[in-house]
Amino acid sequence: MFFCYFYTAIQFNPNEVADNIKRSGGFIPGIRPGKNTAEYIDRIITRITAFGALYISVICIIPIAFVSKMQIFFGGTGLLIVVGVAMDVIARFRRIC
C-alpha cells in the first residue's frame, strides 16, 4: 500500500492540476479556484489511491492465502499482469472484429 501512495505522490501534483484548470478557465462546481481546488483534488486522489492500494494488496495476497499448500508458479502480481494483458488482448480483438 505504501508504494501506491508513494508512486501517486511522485507522479501526480494537485497544485499543478489546479493551476492548469484555472489557466484554462475551468473550475470544479462549488470549489473556489486555486488552493481550494488543489486541496479538493488531493483529497479525492487520496481516497482513490486508498481503494486502489487495497485492491492491489488483496490481489497479491489471494494466491498466498488460498493456494498455500499447492505449488504456485506465479504470485498475485503475476496474476494481475496476466489478467491485464488478457483484457487488453480481448479489447483489441473486439476492435478488429
Side-chain angles (χ1 to χ4, degrees), residues 1 3 6 10 19 22-24 27 34-35 38 42 50 61-62 64 74 80 84 86 88 90 97:
M1 288 186 74
F3 286 113
F6 179 71
I10 289 174
D19 288 341
K22 186 177 180 181
R23 272 190 255 127
S24 66
F27 64 95
K35 182 182 176 187
D42 186 45
I61 291 172
I62 283 176
I64 296 168
F74 52 88
L80 186 62
D88 186 48
I90 290 170
C97 292

Side-chain angles (χ1 to χ4, degrees), residues 49-91:
T49 303
F51 286 117
L54 183 64
Y55 173 74
I56 289 175
S57 297
V58 168
I59 291 296
C60 291
I61 291 172
I62 283 176
I64 296 168
F66 293 116
V67 195
S68 62
K69 294 182 182 182
M70 295 173 51
Q71 182 181 7
I72 52 175
F73 298 106
F74 52 88
T77 308
L79 181 63
L80 186 62
I81 292 169
V82 168
V83 170
V85 170
M87 289 174 59
D88 186 48
V89 168
I90 290 170

Side-chain angles (χ1 to χ4, degrees), residues 7-46:
Y7 184 77
T8 302
I10 289 174
Q11 294 295 321
F12 191 80
N13 185 356
N15 293 326
E16 185 179 323
V17 173
D19 288 341
N20 288 339
I21 291 172
K22 186 177 180 181
R23 272 190 255 127
S24 66
F27 64 95
I28 299 173
I31 308 294
R32 294 182 57 110
K35 182 182 176 187
N36 292 339
T37 300
E39 290 173 355
Y40 176 77
I41 291 172
D42 186 45
R43 193 169 55 243
I44 296 300
I45 290 300
T46 301

